[in-house]
């Protein structure tokens, strides 16, 4: 393992959002320099709301039409279903962008394929191939930034503790039909794709996260959880954005600013 991840902690969500904004904008500029656009993957949960707090205040100044937004994982449900990450991102973030301004290119799943998660995953992988390997074949897509949450069991994306998908090394996107958290049918980026991003950021806030963050950062057992495996594989390319409530009792060294 290289250098460890960076654990940022802030007094409240407002301060966290301001630093997350600077972090995302830096990743955006790096993406423009690399290939002229910004390829980012996002997960669900509370992340879209935090992203809105971070980015909407500067919405008029962002070149949204140079953004390519993918989903780190998605539930095999209709686009208007309450469990849909697409619906969540749309309501919490996309619909609040300036109405008359440019819009990001959002890569949703093919909602016609919900009955077969493997076909759904294959189709989404092909969408990645078109955007990351249209000219040259690549072993893995390399996102400019992947934004993640951390579940109370240490899962991230739809990669769950002790699940066989953690051992997947060939596919870019995988289907899961036995998720321990409902809904059971989902697709997810695989662990190698997550850990190969140029930047990986977790956002975890609130007292409900303190037990799992202590486990991830302070115990050997936590290193084997999906979040811990991302820490190990991404090393210094991983940054955690937390509030003080979420890291109460965590011994791992923390930083208060970027």
């Amino acid at each position: 393992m290289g250098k460890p991840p960076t654990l940022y902690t802030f007094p409240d969500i407002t301060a966290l959002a301001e630093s997350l904004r600077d972090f995302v904008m830096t990743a955006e500029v790096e993406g423009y320099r690399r290939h002229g656009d910004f390829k980012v993957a996002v997960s669900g949960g509370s992340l879209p709301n935090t992203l809105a707090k971070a980015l909407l205040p500067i919405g008029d100044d962002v070149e949204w039409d140079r953004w390519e937004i993918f989903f780190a994982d998605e539930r095999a449900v209709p686009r208007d279903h309450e469990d849909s990450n697409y619906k969540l991102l749309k309501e919490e973030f996309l619909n609040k962008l300036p109405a008359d301004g440019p819009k990001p290119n959002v890569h949703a799943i093919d909602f016609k394929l919900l009955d077969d998660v493997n076909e759904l995953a294959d189709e989404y992988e092909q969408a990645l191939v078109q955007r990351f390997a249209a000219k040259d074949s690549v072993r893995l897509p390399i996102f400019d930034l992947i934004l993640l949450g951390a579940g109370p069991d240490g899962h991230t994306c739809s990669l769950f503790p002790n699940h066989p998908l953690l051992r997947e090394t060939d596919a870019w996107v995988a289907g899961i039909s036995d998720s321990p958290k409902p809904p059971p049918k989902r697709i997810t980026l695989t662990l190698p794709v997550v850990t190969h991003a140029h930047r990986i950021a977790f956002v975890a806030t609130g007292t409900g996260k303190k037990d799992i963050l202590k486990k991830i950062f302070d115990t050997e057992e936590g290193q084997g959880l999906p979040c811990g495996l991302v820490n190990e594989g991404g090393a210094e390319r991983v940054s955690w954005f937390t509030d003080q409530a979420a890291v109460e009792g965590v011994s791992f060294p923390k930083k208060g600013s970027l």
Side-chain angles (χ1 to χ4, degrees):
M1 184 173 176
K3 295 180 180 178
T6 302
L7 176 58
Y8 295 108
T9 186
F10 303 95
D12 52 41
I13 190 68
T14 300
L16 184 156
E18 290 173 354
S19 287
L20 183 63
R21 175 190 311 152
D22 294 340
F23 183 87
V24 172
M25 291 298 96
T26 298
E28 177 199 47
V29 170
E30 292 171 349
Y32 292 167
R33 288 173 179 164
R34 273 190 290 265
H35 40 69
D37 59 14
F38 180 47
K39 293 181 171 67
V40 56
V42 299
S43 57
S46 61
L47 182 65
N49 181 265
T50 305
L51 203 58
K53 286 184 172 72
L55 298 179
L56 290 179
I58 57 166
D60 290 328
D61 300 324
V62 178
E63 295 180 83
W64 295 112
D65 52 350
R66 296 175 72 179
W67 281 48
E68 300 246 5
I69 300 179
F70 298 83
F71 290 89
D73 70 319
E74 180 57 288
R75 292 82 180 273
V77 296
R79 70 175 71 229
D80 58 353
H81 192 281
E82 63 179 9
D83 287 330
S84 167
N85 281 343
Y86 172 80
K87 178 178 187 287
L88 182 66
L89 184 71
K90 195 166 185 292
E91 292 180 349
E92 294 282 356
F93 180 59
L94 298 173
N95 286 351
K96 298 176 183 178
L97 293 175
D100 56 350
K103 298 292 187 290
N105 184 10
V106 180
H107 298 270
I109 61 171
D110 187 337
F111 293 98
K112 298 188 296 292
L113 302 176
L114 299 179
D115 290 337
D116 188 330
V117 291
N118 291 322
E119 188 178 1
L120 187 65
D122 289 344
E123 189 278 336
Y124 205 70
E125 181 166 316
Q126 285 307 307
L128 293 184
V129 169
Q130 291 298 314
R131 304 311 300 169
F132 287 90
K135 296 178 181 178
D136 303 297
S137 63
V138 297
R139 190 175 74 85
L140 290 167
I142 302 180
F143 283 92
D144 298 307
L145 172 63
I146 297 182
L147 291 162
L148 301 171
D153 59 352
H155 86 267
T156 193
C157 302
S158 284
L159 298 169
F160 291 92
N162 303 313
H163 196 279
L165 273 187
L166 292 174
R167 298 190 291 274
E168 175 61 55
T169 58
D170 295 325
W172 294 3
V173 183
I176 175 172
S177 57
D178 58 350
S179 165
K181 177 183 178 183
K185 294 168 62 176
R186 302 157 173 245
I187 66 167
T188 183
L189 296 180
T190 58
L191 187 60
V193 171
V194 173
T195 58
H196 275 74
H198 287 289
R199 288 176 179 257
I200 305 147
F202 286 91
V203 178
T205 59
T207 57
K209 301 292 185 183
K210 67 179 183 180
D211 290 340
I212 191 59
L213 261 60
K214 181 168 182 58
K215 193 173 196 178
I216 291 166
F217 281 99
D218 293 348
T219 73
E220 188 172 341
E221 180 186 358
Q223 295 172 18
L225 296 173
C227 288
L229 294 173
V230 174
N231 278 351
E232 180 182 25
E236 69 268 21
R237 289 176 287 108
V238 179
S239 298
W240 285 75
F241 289 79
T242 67
D243 61 3
Q244 290 176 350
V247 293
E248 182 184 343
V250 175
S251 300
F252 188 88
K254 309 169 194 69
K255 291 186 176 182
S257 62
L258 299 183

